mmCIF file of all heavy atoms in Angstrom:
data_model
loop_
_atom_site.group_PDB
_atom_site.id
_atom_site.type_symbol
_atom_site.label_atom_id
_atom_site.label_comp_id
_atom_site.label_asym_id
_atom_site.label_seq_id
_atom_site.Cartn_x
_atom_site.Cartn_y
_atom_site.Cartn_z
ATOM 1 N N LEU H 99 0.831 -1.193 0.000
ATOM 2 C CA LEU H 99 0.000 0.000 0.000
ATOM 3 C C LEU H 99 0.868 1.247 0.000
ATOM 4 O O LEU H 99 1.943 1.280 0.608
ATOM 5 C CB LEU H 99 -0.907 0.022 1.236
ATOM 6 C CG LEU H 99 -1.766 -1.218 1.484
ATOM 7 C CD1 LEU H 99 -2.680 -0.981 2.676
ATOM 8 C CD2 LEU H 99 -2.583 -1.559 0.244
ATOM 9 N N LEU H 100 0.407 2.288 -0.665
ATOM 10 C CA LEU H 100 1.135 3.548 -0.708
ATOM 11 C C LEU H 100 1.045 4.227 0.652
ATOM 12 O O LEU H 100 -0.048 4.393 1.201
ATOM 13 C CB LEU H 100 0.543 4.454 -1.790
ATOM 14 C CG LEU H 100 1.231 5.797 -2.008
ATOM 15 C CD1 LEU H 100 2.663 5.605 -2.497
ATOM 16 C CD2 LEU H 100 0.446 6.640 -3.000
ATOM 17 N N GLU H 101 2.194 4.622 1.212
ATOM 18 C CA GLU H 101 2.261 5.270 2.527
ATOM 19 C C GLU H 101 1.462 4.500 3.573
ATOM 20 O O GLU H 101 0.588 5.027 4.263
ATOM 21 C CB GLU H 101 1.786 6.722 2.442
ATOM 22 C CG GLU H 101 2.676 7.578 1.553
ATOM 23 C CD GLU H 101 3.212 8.817 2.269
ATOM 24 O OE1 GLU H 101 4.250 8.704 2.939
ATOM 25 O OE2 GLU H 101 2.580 9.866 2.126
ATOM 26 N N VAL H 102 1.813 3.230 3.699
ATOM 27 C CA VAL H 102 1.108 2.343 4.614
ATOM 28 C C VAL H 102 1.179 2.839 6.052
ATOM 29 O O VAL H 102 0.301 2.548 6.874
ATOM 30 C CB VAL H 102 1.682 0.912 4.494
ATOM 31 C CG1 VAL H 102 3.129 0.863 4.944
ATOM 32 C CG2 VAL H 102 0.847 -0.087 5.279
ATOM 33 N N ASN H 103 2.217 3.626 6.377
ATOM 34 C CA ASN H 103 2.384 4.107 7.752
ATOM 35 C C ASN H 103 1.744 5.463 8.001
ATOM 36 O O ASN H 103 1.920 6.046 9.075
ATOM 37 C CB ASN H 103 3.872 4.166 8.128
ATOM 38 C CG ASN H 103 4.684 5.083 7.226
ATOM 39 O OD1 ASN H 103 4.332 5.300 6.067
ATOM 40 N ND2 ASN H 103 5.778 5.611 7.749
ATOM 41 N N ALA H 104 0.977 5.976 7.038
ATOM 42 C CA ALA H 104 0.271 7.243 7.244
ATOM 43 C C ALA H 104 -0.902 7.032 8.190
ATOM 44 O O ALA H 104 -1.657 6.062 8.068
ATOM 45 C CB ALA H 104 -0.228 7.799 5.913
ATOM 46 N N MET H 105 -1.055 7.935 9.154
ATOM 47 C CA MET H 105 -2.132 7.805 10.128
ATOM 48 C C MET H 105 -2.629 9.191 10.514
ATOM 49 O O MET H 105 -1.880 10.159 10.528
ATOM 50 C CB MET H 105 -1.647 7.049 11.371
ATOM 51 C CG MET H 105 -0.463 7.683 12.082
ATOM 52 S SD MET H 105 0.179 6.633 13.417
ATOM 53 C CE MET H 105 1.466 7.732 14.087
ATOM 54 N N THR H 106 -3.902 9.274 10.819
ATOM 55 C CA THR H 106 -4.464 10.506 11.352
ATOM 56 C C THR H 106 -4.115 10.593 12.829
ATOM 57 O O THR H 106 -4.313 9.630 13.577
ATOM 58 C CB THR H 106 -5.982 10.535 11.186
ATOM 59 O OG1 THR H 106 -6.300 10.451 9.794
ATOM 60 C CG2 THR H 106 -6.575 11.820 11.749
ATOM 61 N N LEU H 107 -3.594 11.741 13.231
ATOM 62 C CA LEU H 107 -3.314 12.011 14.641
ATOM 63 C C LEU H 107 -4.281 13.091 15.104
ATOM 64 O O LEU H 107 -4.263 14.212 14.597
ATOM 65 C CB LEU H 107 -1.872 12.485 14.818
ATOM 66 C CG LEU H 107 -1.535 13.138 16.165
ATOM 67 C CD1 LEU H 107 -1.630 12.133 17.300
ATOM 68 C CD2 LEU H 107 -0.157 13.783 16.117
ATOM 69 N N ALA H 108 -5.128 12.746 16.054
ATOM 70 C CA ALA H 108 -6.077 13.711 16.621
ATOM 71 C C ALA H 108 -5.622 14.088 18.025
ATOM 72 O O ALA H 108 -5.319 13.213 18.844
ATOM 73 C CB ALA H 108 -7.482 13.132 16.661
ATOM 74 N N THR H 109 -5.579 15.405 18.278
ATOM 75 C CA THR H 109 -5.217 15.925 19.589
ATOM 76 C C THR H 109 -6.277 16.940 20.007
ATOM 77 O O THR H 109 -7.145 17.311 19.222
ATOM 78 C CB THR H 109 -3.831 16.596 19.550
ATOM 79 O OG1 THR H 109 -3.847 17.635 18.557
ATOM 80 C CG2 THR H 109 -2.737 15.596 19.188
ATOM 81 N N ALA H 110 -6.156 17.417 21.243
ATOM 82 C CA ALA H 110 -7.090 18.438 21.716
ATOM 83 C C ALA H 110 -6.373 19.323 22.730
ATOM 84 O O ALA H 110 -5.483 18.875 23.452
ATOM 85 C CB ALA H 110 -8.322 17.806 22.347
ATOM 86 N N SER H 111 -6.790 20.578 22.768
ATOM 87 C CA SER H 111 -6.234 21.509 23.741
ATOM 88 C C SER H 111 -6.795 21.194 25.129
ATOM 89 O O SER H 111 -7.677 20.348 25.285
ATOM 90 C CB SER H 111 -6.580 22.943 23.341
ATOM 91 O OG SER H 111 -7.987 23.109 23.303
ATOM 92 N N ALA H 112 -6.304 21.910 26.135
ATOM 93 C CA ALA H 112 -6.771 21.682 27.501
ATOM 94 C C ALA H 112 -8.268 21.928 27.637
ATOM 95 O O ALA H 112 -8.947 21.279 28.448
ATOM 96 C CB ALA H 112 -5.994 22.571 28.461
ATOM 97 N N ASP H 113 -8.805 22.849 26.832
ATOM 98 C CA ASP H 113 -10.245 23.136 26.901
ATOM 99 C C ASP H 113 -11.050 22.339 25.882
ATOM 100 O O ASP H 113 -12.217 22.637 25.635
ATOM 101 C CB ASP H 113 -10.510 24.635 26.756
ATOM 102 C CG ASP H 113 -9.954 25.209 25.459
ATOM 103 O OD1 ASP H 113 -9.281 24.459 24.717
ATOM 104 O OD2 ASP H 113 -10.181 26.405 25.190
ATOM 105 N N GLY H 114 -10.433 21.331 25.274
ATOM 106 C CA GLY H 114 -11.173 20.393 24.450
ATOM 107 C C GLY H 114 -11.321 20.740 22.988
ATOM 108 O O GLY H 114 -12.057 20.066 22.273
ATOM 109 N N VAL H 115 -10.617 21.779 22.497
ATOM 110 C CA VAL H 115 -10.696 22.116 21.075
ATOM 111 C C VAL H 115 -9.872 21.102 20.282
ATOM 112 O O VAL H 115 -8.662 20.986 20.499
ATOM 113 C CB VAL H 115 -10.183 23.541 20.812
ATOM 114 C CG1 VAL H 115 -10.211 23.842 19.319
ATOM 115 C CG2 VAL H 115 -11.019 24.560 21.579
ATOM 116 N N PRO H 116 -10.499 20.349 19.356
ATOM 117 C CA PRO H 116 -9.785 19.280 18.659
ATOM 118 C C PRO H 116 -9.020 19.771 17.438
ATOM 119 O O PRO H 116 -9.295 20.839 16.885
ATOM 120 C CB PRO H 116 -10.915 18.340 18.236
ATOM 121 C CG PRO H 116 -12.063 19.267 17.979
ATOM 122 C CD PRO H 116 -11.934 20.374 18.998
ATOM 123 N N SER H 117 -8.076 18.949 17.023
ATOM 124 C CA SER H 117 -7.320 19.192 15.800
ATOM 125 C C SER H 117 -6.827 17.847 15.291
ATOM 126 O O SER H 117 -6.571 16.936 16.080
ATOM 127 C CB SER H 117 -6.136 20.128 16.071
ATOM 128 O OG SER H 117 -5.416 20.392 14.889
ATOM 129 N N ALA H 118 -6.710 17.705 13.972
ATOM 130 C CA ALA H 118 -6.249 16.444 13.403
ATOM 131 C C ALA H 118 -5.422 16.702 12.170
ATOM 132 O O ALA H 118 -5.613 17.698 11.472
ATOM 133 C CB ALA H 118 -7.443 15.540 13.067
ATOM 134 N N ARG H 119 -4.482 15.796 11.920
ATOM 135 C CA ARG H 119 -3.620 15.888 10.753
ATOM 136 C C ARG H 119 -3.029 14.500 10.476
ATOM 137 O O ARG H 119 -3.134 13.606 11.309
ATOM 138 C CB ARG H 119 -2.493 16.916 10.923
ATOM 139 C CG ARG H 119 -1.369 16.480 11.835
ATOM 140 C CD ARG H 119 -1.731 16.343 13.293
ATOM 141 N NE ARG H 119 -1.948 17.643 13.918
ATOM 142 C CZ ARG H 119 -2.627 17.811 15.032
ATOM 143 N NH1 ARG H 119 -3.179 16.767 15.639
ATOM 144 N NH2 ARG H 119 -2.780 19.005 15.574
ATOM 145 N N ILE H 120 -2.428 14.340 9.292
ATOM 146 C CA ILE H 120 -1.775 13.077 8.952
ATOM 147 C C ILE H 120 -0.308 13.146 9.353
ATOM 148 O O ILE H 120 0.394 14.109 9.036
ATOM 149 C CB ILE H 120 -1.871 12.779 7.446
ATOM 150 C CG1 ILE H 120 -3.335 12.769 6.988
ATOM 151 C CG2 ILE H 120 -1.207 11.444 7.120
ATOM 152 C CD1 ILE H 120 -4.201 11.716 7.633
ATOM 153 N N VAL H 121 0.159 12.124 10.070
ATOM 154 C CA VAL H 121 1.572 11.974 10.394
ATOM 155 C C VAL H 121 1.978 10.555 10.010
ATOM 156 O O VAL H 121 1.152 9.758 9.567
ATOM 157 C CB VAL H 121 1.857 12.247 11.889
ATOM 158 C CG1 VAL H 121 1.477 13.678 12.264
ATOM 159 C CG2 VAL H 121 1.117 11.253 12.779
ATOM 160 N N LEU H 122 3.250 10.238 10.193
ATOM 161 C CA LEU H 122 3.748 8.921 9.801
ATOM 162 C C LEU H 122 4.186 8.120 11.020
ATOM 163 O O LEU H 122 4.935 8.619 11.864
ATOM 164 C CB LEU H 122 4.929 9.059 8.832
ATOM 165 C CG LEU H 122 4.619 9.753 7.508
ATOM 166 C CD1 LEU H 122 5.894 9.856 6.661
ATOM 167 C CD2 LEU H 122 3.529 9.027 6.731
ATOM 168 N N LEU H 123 3.707 6.896 11.104
ATOM 169 C CA LEU H 123 4.162 5.976 12.134
ATOM 170 C C LEU H 123 5.623 5.633 11.873
ATOM 171 O O LEU H 123 5.999 5.305 10.751
ATOM 172 C CB LEU H 123 3.321 4.697 12.103
ATOM 173 C CG LEU H 123 3.724 3.590 13.076
ATOM 174 C CD1 LEU H 123 3.380 3.996 14.509
ATOM 175 C CD2 LEU H 123 3.048 2.274 12.707
ATOM 176 N N LYS H 124 6.449 5.690 12.923
ATOM 177 C CA LYS H 124 7.870 5.383 12.754
ATOM 178 C C LYS H 124 8.325 4.211 13.603
ATOM 179 O O LYS H 124 9.507 3.874 13.621
ATOM 180 C CB LYS H 124 8.714 6.627 13.071
ATOM 181 C CG LYS H 124 8.575 7.711 12.011
ATOM 182 C CD LYS H 124 8.999 7.219 10.638
ATOM 183 C CE LYS H 124 8.827 8.266 9.557
ATOM 184 N NZ LYS H 124 9.251 7.766 8.225
ATOM 185 N N GLY H 125 7.399 3.595 14.292
ATOM 186 C CA GLY H 125 7.739 2.404 15.048
ATOM 187 C C GLY H 125 6.607 2.027 15.977
ATOM 188 O O GLY H 125 5.801 2.866 16.370
ATOM 189 N N PHE H 126 6.532 0.735 16.309
ATOM 190 C CA PHE H 126 5.597 0.288 17.338
ATOM 191 C C PHE H 126 6.193 -0.919 18.050
ATOM 192 O O PHE H 126 7.031 -1.646 17.504
ATOM 193 C CB PHE H 126 4.208 -0.009 16.767
ATOM 194 C CG PHE H 126 4.123 -1.219 15.877
ATOM 195 C CD1 PHE H 126 3.766 -2.465 16.381
ATOM 196 C CD2 PHE H 126 4.385 -1.118 14.514
ATOM 197 C CE1 PHE H 126 3.680 -3.577 15.563
ATOM 198 C CE2 PHE H 126 4.295 -2.220 13.684
ATOM 199 C CZ PHE H 126 3.947 -3.453 14.207
ATOM 200 N N SER H 127 5.771 -1.088 19.291
ATOM 201 C CA SER H 127 6.277 -2.150 20.150
ATOM 202 C C SER H 127 5.204 -2.426 21.196
ATOM 203 O O SER H 127 4.147 -1.767 21.201
ATOM 204 C CB SER H 127 7.570 -1.697 20.831
ATOM 205 O OG SER H 127 7.291 -0.704 21.814
ATOM 206 N N PRO H 128 5.429 -3.371 22.101
ATOM 207 C CA PRO H 128 4.441 -3.581 23.167
ATOM 208 C C PRO H 128 4.162 -2.323 23.987
ATOM 209 O O PRO H 128 3.104 -2.222 24.618
ATOM 210 C CB PRO H 128 5.089 -4.676 24.020
ATOM 211 C CG PRO H 128 5.907 -5.467 23.044
ATOM 212 C CD PRO H 128 6.458 -4.436 22.106
ATOM 213 N N LYS H 129 5.081 -1.350 23.967
ATOM 214 C CA LYS H 129 4.870 -0.109 24.708
ATOM 215 C C LYS H 129 3.857 0.800 24.024
ATOM 216 O O LYS H 129 3.140 1.551 24.683
ATOM 217 C CB LYS H 129 6.186 0.650 24.869
ATOM 218 C CG LYS H 129 7.208 -0.042 25.750
ATOM 219 C CD LYS H 129 8.468 0.803 25.860
ATOM 220 C CE LYS H 129 9.506 0.145 26.742
ATOM 221 N NZ LYS H 129 10.746 0.980 26.837
ATOM 222 N N GLY H 130 3.821 0.801 22.675
ATOM 223 C CA GLY H 130 2.915 1.684 21.963
ATOM 224 C C GLY H 130 3.432 2.082 20.603
ATOM 225 O O GLY H 130 4.258 1.375 20.005
ATOM 226 N N PHE H 131 2.986 3.262 20.126
ATOM 227 C CA PHE H 131 3.189 3.703 18.753
ATOM 228 C C PHE H 131 3.949 5.028 18.745
ATOM 229 O O PHE H 131 3.616 5.940 19.501
ATOM 230 C CB PHE H 131 1.831 3.842 18.057
ATOM 231 C CG PHE H 131 1.070 2.542 18.030
ATOM 232 C CD1 PHE H 131 0.341 2.117 19.144
ATOM 233 C CD2 PHE H 131 1.119 1.728 16.923
ATOM 234 C CE1 PHE H 131 -0.344 0.910 19.132
ATOM 235 C CE2 PHE H 131 0.437 0.507 16.895
ATOM 236 C CZ PHE H 131 -0.293 0.101 18.015
ATOM 237 N N VAL H 132 4.939 5.138 17.869
ATOM 238 C CA VAL H 132 5.865 6.266 17.890
ATOM 239 C C VAL H 132 5.763 7.092 16.608
ATOM 240 O O VAL H 132 5.705 6.544 15.501
ATOM 241 C CB VAL H 132 7.319 5.779 18.072
ATOM 242 C CG1 VAL H 132 8.309 6.938 17.957
ATOM 243 C CG2 VAL H 132 7.486 5.077 19.420
ATOM 244 N N PHE H 133 5.751 8.407 16.776
ATOM 245 C CA PHE H 133 5.904 9.332 15.652
ATOM 246 C C PHE H 133 6.803 10.474 16.110
ATOM 247 O O PHE H 133 7.039 10.657 17.307
ATOM 248 C CB PHE H 133 4.548 9.866 15.158
ATOM 249 C CG PHE H 133 3.832 10.747 16.152
ATOM 250 C CD1 PHE H 133 3.973 12.134 16.106
ATOM 251 C CD2 PHE H 133 3.015 10.203 17.129
ATOM 252 C CE1 PHE H 133 3.315 12.955 17.019
ATOM 253 C CE2 PHE H 133 2.358 11.016 18.052
ATOM 254 C CZ PHE H 133 2.509 12.390 17.989
ATOM 255 N N PHE H 134 7.316 11.249 15.153
ATOM 256 C CA PHE H 134 8.251 12.332 15.448
ATOM 257 C C PHE H 134 7.732 13.649 14.884
ATOM 258 O O PHE H 134 7.080 13.675 13.839
ATOM 259 C CB PHE H 134 9.635 12.021 14.861
ATOM 260 C CG PHE H 134 10.313 10.851 15.520
ATOM 261 C CD1 PHE H 134 10.046 9.555 15.115
ATOM 262 C CD2 PHE H 134 11.205 11.054 16.559
ATOM 263 C CE1 PHE H 134 10.654 8.473 15.733
ATOM 264 C CE2 PHE H 134 11.812 9.977 17.193
ATOM 265 C CZ PHE H 134 11.548 8.687 16.776
ATOM 266 N N THR H 135 8.061 14.743 15.571
ATOM 267 C CA THR H 135 7.599 16.053 15.126
ATOM 268 C C THR H 135 8.347 17.147 15.872
ATOM 269 O O THR H 135 9.213 16.880 16.713
ATOM 270 C CB THR H 135 6.076 16.202 15.351
ATOM 271 O OG1 THR H 135 5.610 17.374 14.695
ATOM 272 C CG2 THR H 135 5.738 16.287 16.827
ATOM 273 N N ASN H 136 7.984 18.380 15.573
ATOM 274 C CA ASN H 136 8.493 19.550 16.276
ATOM 275 C C ASN H 136 7.657 19.732 17.547
ATOM 276 O O ASN H 136 6.442 19.892 17.478
ATOM 277 C CB ASN H 136 8.376 20.767 15.355
ATOM 278 C CG ASN H 136 8.994 22.021 15.923
ATOM 279 O OD1 ASN H 136 8.866 22.304 17.107
ATOM 280 N ND2 ASN H 136 9.656 22.792 15.072
ATOM 281 N N TYR H 137 8.309 19.713 18.698
ATOM 282 C CA TYR H 137 7.579 19.850 19.959
ATOM 283 C C TYR H 137 6.904 21.217 20.097
ATOM 284 O O TYR H 137 5.976 21.378 20.889
ATOM 285 C CB TYR H 137 8.513 19.641 21.148
ATOM 286 C CG TYR H 137 9.046 18.232 21.312
ATOM 287 C CD1 TYR H 137 10.352 18.000 21.758
ATOM 288 C CD2 TYR H 137 8.246 17.128 21.061
ATOM 289 C CE1 TYR H 137 10.840 16.722 21.935
ATOM 290 C CE2 TYR H 137 8.730 15.834 21.221
ATOM 291 C CZ TYR H 137 10.036 15.638 21.654
ATOM 292 O OH TYR H 137 10.509 14.355 21.830
ATOM 293 N N GLU H 138 7.373 22.198 19.323
ATOM 294 C CA GLU H 138 6.798 23.538 19.397
ATOM 295 C C GLU H 138 5.717 23.772 18.344
ATOM 296 O O GLU H 138 5.203 24.879 18.216
ATOM 297 C CB GLU H 138 7.903 24.593 19.258
ATOM 298 C CG GLU H 138 8.916 24.539 20.404
ATOM 299 C CD GLU H 138 10.051 25.532 20.243
ATOM 300 O OE1 GLU H 138 10.142 26.166 19.154
ATOM 301 O OE2 GLU H 138 10.849 25.668 21.174
ATOM 302 N N SER H 139 5.372 22.734 17.583
ATOM 303 C CA SER H 139 4.308 22.830 16.589
ATOM 304 C C SER H 139 2.960 22.907 17.295
ATOM 305 O O SER H 139 2.861 22.754 18.522
ATOM 306 C CB SER H 139 4.332 21.610 15.668
ATOM 307 O OG SER H 139 4.026 20.433 16.412
ATOM 308 N N PHE H 140 1.900 23.130 16.520
ATOM 309 C CA PHE H 140 0.564 23.215 17.108
ATOM 310 C C PHE H 140 0.197 21.930 17.832
ATOM 311 O O PHE H 140 -0.318 21.952 18.953
ATOM 312 C CB PHE H 140 -0.461 23.543 16.019
ATOM 313 C CG PHE H 140 -1.846 23.777 16.551
ATOM 314 C CD1 PHE H 140 -2.148 24.936 17.249
ATOM 315 C CD2 PHE H 140 -2.847 22.835 16.369
ATOM 316 C CE1 PHE H 140 -3.431 25.154 17.751
ATOM 317 C CE2 PHE H 140 -4.124 23.049 16.864
ATOM 318 C CZ PHE H 140 -4.409 24.219 17.561
ATOM 319 N N LYS H 141 0.482 20.780 17.209
ATOM 320 C CA LYS H 141 0.156 19.516 17.862
ATOM 321 C C LYS H 141 1.010 19.309 19.101
ATOM 322 O O LYS H 141 0.542 18.762 20.116
ATOM 323 C CB LYS H 141 0.303 18.340 16.893
ATOM 324 C CG LYS H 141 1.650 18.165 16.237
ATOM 325 C CD LYS H 141 1.575 17.018 15.242
ATOM 326 C CE LYS H 141 2.807 16.943 14.355
ATOM 327 N NZ LYS H 141 2.920 18.114 13.446
ATOM 328 N N GLY H 142 2.284 19.764 19.039
ATOM 329 C CA GLY H 142 3.137 19.653 20.206
ATOM 330 C C GLY H 142 2.609 20.466 21.377
ATOM 331 O O GLY H 142 2.643 20.021 22.530
ATOM 332 N N LYS H 143 2.110 21.661 21.096
ATOM 333 C CA LYS H 143 1.552 22.510 22.149
ATOM 334 C C LYS H 143 0.278 21.890 22.731
ATOM 335 O O LYS H 143 0.049 21.928 23.945
ATOM 336 C CB LYS H 143 1.276 23.903 21.594
ATOM 337 C CG LYS H 143 2.550 24.674 21.252
ATOM 338 C CD LYS H 143 2.245 26.009 20.603
ATOM 339 C CE LYS H 143 3.529 26.758 20.253
ATOM 340 N NZ LYS H 143 3.265 28.029 19.545
ATOM 341 N N GLN H 144 -0.560 21.300 21.854
ATOM 342 C CA GLN H 144 -1.759 20.648 22.369
ATOM 343 C C GLN H 144 -1.402 19.438 23.231
ATOM 344 O O GLN H 144 -2.016 19.207 24.276
ATOM 345 C CB GLN H 144 -2.676 20.230 21.219
ATOM 346 C CG GLN H 144 -3.432 21.383 20.589
ATOM 347 C CD GLN H 144 -4.666 20.918 19.825
ATOM 348 O OE1 GLN H 144 -4.679 19.871 19.200
ATOM 349 N NE2 GLN H 144 -5.724 21.719 19.880
ATOM 350 N N LEU H 145 -0.395 18.684 22.817
ATOM 351 C CA LEU H 145 -0.007 17.515 23.599
ATOM 352 C C LEU H 145 0.624 17.909 24.932
ATOM 353 O O LEU H 145 0.526 17.160 25.911
ATOM 354 C CB LEU H 145 0.957 16.638 22.783
ATOM 355 C CG LEU H 145 0.300 15.875 21.631
ATOM 356 C CD1 LEU H 145 1.345 15.223 20.750
ATOM 357 C CD2 LEU H 145 -0.675 14.821 22.173
ATOM 358 N N ALA H 146 1.271 19.071 24.977
ATOM 359 C CA ALA H 146 1.801 19.559 26.245
ATOM 360 C C ALA H 146 0.663 19.911 27.197
ATOM 361 O O ALA H 146 0.751 19.681 28.409
ATOM 362 C CB ALA H 146 2.701 20.770 26.006
#
């Protein structure tokens, strides 16, 4: 499949405002699922 590791990542701010975008899965293990990004991006701020 083309871009088989593409996934929608949905986040929300502290007051519940949602946001979603496509990111790429870069690994998974029994611990969970990993992706990489800029921590100062919009999604990074929502995840903080």
Side-chain angles (χ1 to χ4, degrees):
L99 307 185
L100 182 64
E101 296 235 86
V102 65
N103 59 333
M105 58 187 184
T106 300
L107 165 66
T109 57
S111 60
D113 58 355
V115 177
S117 181
R119 74 292 289 160
I120 304 298
V121 299
L122 298 178
L123 177 71
K124 289 301 178 180
F126 69 94
S127 71
K129 293 181 180 180
F131 300 81
V132 174
F133 66 94
F134 293 84
T135 191
N136 186 319
Y137 292 143
E138 296 177 352
S139 65
F140 185 73
K141 57 184 169 294
K143 292 176 181 177
Q144 285 201 324
L145 288 171

